């Protein structure tokens, strides 16, 4: 069974993340989806409930859109609150040891803008170092991120193109999760 921590602040308005979640829900995987924005519209995260959910699962997927080269605010708050001392780290903080940390996100701009001379200057994987370090620090197994570029209609992508690429990402993610069974 896999836990999906959905960090989209408004999933109903989403094309890419909503499609990925829909594909996961329709798959034959046993999953638990925790939509942070729906559970905590006031941003008052129930730390114990979130920790209990983490304890029940071996595979933890963090699904979100990239906002300003990072995770969304509610997902960042989730990390700050839930991965606390003596739970996720510290002398007795080994509760996540050996679990799989699986980033899955979407990037609005085209891939061609993510390089040294591009508009965004860095490759996407360079923005993931904080994720990798978090997995390392909490003794989790960091899985290389699942992501795709070009989710912004404002950047000229069509709704169907975004949805198709989201379905492809979901299939890769489903395949990975099956491989852990």
């Amino acid at each position: 069974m896999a836990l999906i921590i959905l960090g989209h602040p408004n999933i109903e308005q989403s094309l890419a993340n909503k499609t990925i979640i829909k594909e996961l829900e329709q798959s034959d995987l046993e999953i638990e989806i925790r939509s942070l924005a729906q559970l905590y519209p006031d941003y008052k995260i129930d730390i114990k409930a979130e920790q209990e959910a983490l304890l029940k699962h071996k595979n933890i997927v963090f699904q979100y859109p990239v906002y300003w080269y990072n995770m969304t605010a509610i997902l960042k708050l989730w990390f700050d609150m839930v991965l606390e001392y003596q739970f996720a780290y510290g002398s007795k903080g080994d509760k996540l040891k050996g679990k799989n940390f699986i980033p899955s996100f979407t990037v609005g701009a085209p891939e061609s803008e993510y390089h040294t001379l591009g508009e965004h200057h860095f490759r996407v994987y360079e923005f993931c170092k904080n994720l990798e370090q978090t997995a390392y620090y909490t003794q989790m197994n960091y899985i290389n991120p699942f992501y795709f570029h070009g989710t912004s209609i404002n950047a000229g992508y069509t709704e169907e193109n975004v949805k198709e690429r989201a379905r492809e990402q979901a299939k890769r993610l489903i395949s990975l999760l099956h491989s852990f069974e």
Side-chain angles (χ1 to χ4, degrees):
M1 202 158 140
L3 176 63
I4 315 299
I5 303 295
L6 177 57
H8 198 294
N10 189 354
I11 194 67
E12 293 307 315
Q13 298 299 316
S14 171
L15 284 177
N17 284 266
K18 186 175 171 180
T19 300
I20 292 167
I21 293 298
K22 182 179 174 185
E23 293 293 314
L24 289 170
E25 289 173 329
Q26 293 175 352
S27 75
D28 60 348
L29 292 169
E30 284 188 50
I31 59 172
E32 177 183 353
I33 299 172
R34 298 191 62 80
S35 176
L36 300 180
Q38 291 174 349
L39 288 169
Y40 310 112
D42 58 1
Y43 279 58
K44 293 180 182 174
I45 294 174
D46 183 337
I47 295 167
K48 295 301 173 203
E50 295 304 313
Q51 289 176 344
E52 287 173 17
L54 286 168
L55 292 174
K56 292 189 308 188
H57 302 276
K58 170 78 171 157
N59 302 302
I60 317 299
V61 176
F62 299 96
Q63 181 64 53
Y64 61 96
V66 168
Y67 280 14
W68 286 103
Y69 314 108
N70 210 323
M71 63 184 69
T72 60
I74 196 162
L75 185 55
K76 176 63 170 91
L77 179 63
W78 183 95
F79 274 90
D80 291 346
M81 303 298 292
V82 176
L83 302 185
E84 62 186 357
Y85 180 68
Q86 301 300 36
F87 175 77
Y89 67 99
S91 61
K92 298 177 186 172
D94 63 351
K95 309 302 185 285
L96 303 177
K97 184 177 183 176
K99 294 179 183 287
N100 294 315
F101 184 109
I102 308 165
S104 176
F105 52 85
T106 58
V107 182
E111 186 173 6
S112 62
E113 294 180 8
Y114 282 87
H115 62 87
T116 305
L117 299 176
E119 184 174 345
H120 301 292
H121 191 64
F122 296 98
R123 290 171 193 85
V124 168
Y125 76 87
E126 294 176 87
F127 296 111
C128 297
K129 290 298 181 188
N130 61 328
L131 301 172
E132 188 172 1
Q133 178 59 25
T134 298
Y136 172 77
Y137 199 63
T138 59
Q139 303 178 67
M140 296 177 78
N141 304 316
Y142 182 72
I143 307 299
N144 285 328
F146 286 79
Y147 66 92
F148 71 97
H149 294 270
T151 64
S152 174
I153 300 298
N154 294 334
Y157 297 97
T158 67
E159 185 174 321
E160 188 47 45
N161 180 258
V162 171
K163 287 181 178 181
E164 180 55 35
R165 295 174 79 197
R167 286 189 288 270
E168 290 170 9
Q169 178 163 320
K171 286 177 189 171
R172 291 191 315 271
L173 187 55
I174 290 165
S175 178
L176 173 76
L177 292 171
H178 275 304
S179 76
F180 292 134
E181 293 177 343

